[in-house]
Amino acid sequence: MRKKIVAGNWKMNKNLQEGVALAKELNGLLVADKPNCEVVICTPFIHLATVAGLINNEVLQLGAENCADKASGAYTGEVSAEMVKSTGAQYVILGHSERREYYNETPEILKEKVDLALANGLKILFCIGESLEQREANQQNEVCKAELEGSVFHLTPEQWANVVIAYEPIWAIGTGKTATSDQAEEIHAFIRSCVAEKYGQEVADNTSILYGGSCKGSNAPELFAKPNIDGGLIGGASLKASDFKEIIDAF
Ligand code: PGA
């Protein structure tokens, strides 16, 4: 059966020393009190190699927040999937709405990144989700389906086994406005039906679909209790070990 996962997305927060301290503190909490789900922290690139060396992979996994859409070469400032993998990280977030919006990441670019990440043995946390305008026009289902079709539905079922979906309504990210658990459950069930249509029911039943967007200790239990919500992708509340642990403890 599919995995329950709580993943943190630090975004552009924490310098190296602060990030190392946070990772150490969280790792200590999880070693002392084993989680009932997989826990991942996705950090800025500069933290990866150091953090990889100090966490216990039995309780905590590591991921990047992005990788390049090219394998290697003259792409000043970019970090490849192979480089991410070589740090010891297991995951990479791709398709986050902030990357799509502020860095013009198109479905085609994301498809390249997805292929390179998988070719280099990384697992993918692939983000999808509608804007407020699209939600108000009741277009959330078609937006999510199109984002899947645009960047990940070309994968084989074997490759798909390394993909986790994160549904993140853009209007709920960093706004304090969470989707209600019923709203989230409804669209998670729809997303699972799209996966079933493409890969079959068994693959869909084995796919973890996380909710993201102002998820915190106070609302995580209700969200995670829904049958199609398999965990969360957590921004703000992943920046303090005790806040993040409270979400993990929802499982
Ligand atoms: P948030 O961010 O938890 O701060 O809303 C979630 C995300 O963007 O992954």
Side-chain angles (χ1 to χ4, degrees):
M1 225 11 209
R2 57 185 176 263
K3 267 195 249 177
K4 307 286 186 196
I5 302 172
V6 173
N9 174 10
W10 289 5
K11 307 192 179 182
M12 198 171 72
N13 293 294
K14 306 286 176 193
N15 65 28
L16 180 59
Q17 290 73 27
E18 293 164 347
V20 163
L22 173 56
K24 268 191 193 159
E25 187 186 355
L26 178 66
N27 187 70
L29 290 174
L30 297 176
V31 166
D33 179 20
K34 291 229 158 37
N36 293 323
C37 61
E38 184 166 306
V39 180
V40 187
I41 46 176
C42 297
T43 78
F45 293 127
I46 65 134
H47 299 72
L48 291 173
T50 314
V51 169
L54 58 83
I55 62 176
N56 179 340
N57 283 145
E58 278 171 36
V59 292
L60 187 55
Q61 309 288 302
L62 179 64
E65 301 171 14
N66 183 26
C67 71
D69 61 340
K70 304 286 193 299
S72 67
Y75 301 102
T76 302
E78 288 296 294
V79 175
S80 71
E82 186 191 357
M83 292 171 187
V84 169
K85 178 71 180 178
S86 74
T87 65
Q90 295 87 17
Y91 279 93
V92 61
I93 295 173
L94 292 174
H96 194 281
S97 58
E98 289 152 15
R99 301 289 323 169
R100 293 180 193 262
E101 185 180 349
Y102 308 142
Y103 301 95
N104 306 314
E105 294 193 1
T106 63
E108 295 72 33
I109 291 172
L110 289 171
K111 195 174 173 188
E112 297 298 324
K113 294 188 178 204
V114 162
D115 289 344
L116 285 163
L118 292 174
N120 284 285
L122 291 168
K123 289 182 266 193
I124 296 172
L125 290 161
F126 191 77
C127 305
I128 59 176
E130 80 286 352
S131 65
L132 183 59
E133 207 183 4
Q134 290 163 332
R135 168 64 69 163
E136 282 169 349
N138 201 29
Q139 292 167 339
Q140 61 274 12
N141 287 7
E142 61 190 272
V143 168
C144 288
K145 191 173 187 191
E147 288 181 336
L148 293 169
E149 286 170 348
S151 307
V152 286
F153 271 2
H154 65 290
L155 299 173
T156 66
E158 292 69 37
Q159 289 175 310
W160 183 266
N162 292 308
V163 176
V164 171
I165 300 297
Y167 166 67
E168 299 205 307
I170 298 168
W171 46 271
I173 295 177
T175 58
K177 256 197 243 169
T178 336
T180 66
S181 57
D182 287 336
Q183 267 175 333
E185 170 61 18
E186 187 182 353
I187 190 151
H188 279 231
F190 170 76
I191 293 164
R192 197 176 306 287
S193 76
C194 295
V195 178
E197 206 179 292
K198 174 74 194 169
Y199 294 107
Q201 194 60 48
E202 195 185 336
V203 170
D205 286 340
N206 287 326
T207 300
S208 301
I209 306 177
L210 314 185
Y211 170 79
S214 300
C215 184
K216 42 188 186 286
S218 55
N219 56 32
E222 189 183 334
L223 286 159
F224 296 176
K226 294 290 182 187
N228 284 292
I229 302 180
D230 306 312
L233 180 56
I234 319 299
S238 72
L239 296 173
K240 244 181 83 184
S242 57
D243 291 350
F244 194 49
K245 177 71 165 49
E246 204 185 328
I247 298 173
I248 295 163
D249 287 345
F251 280 124

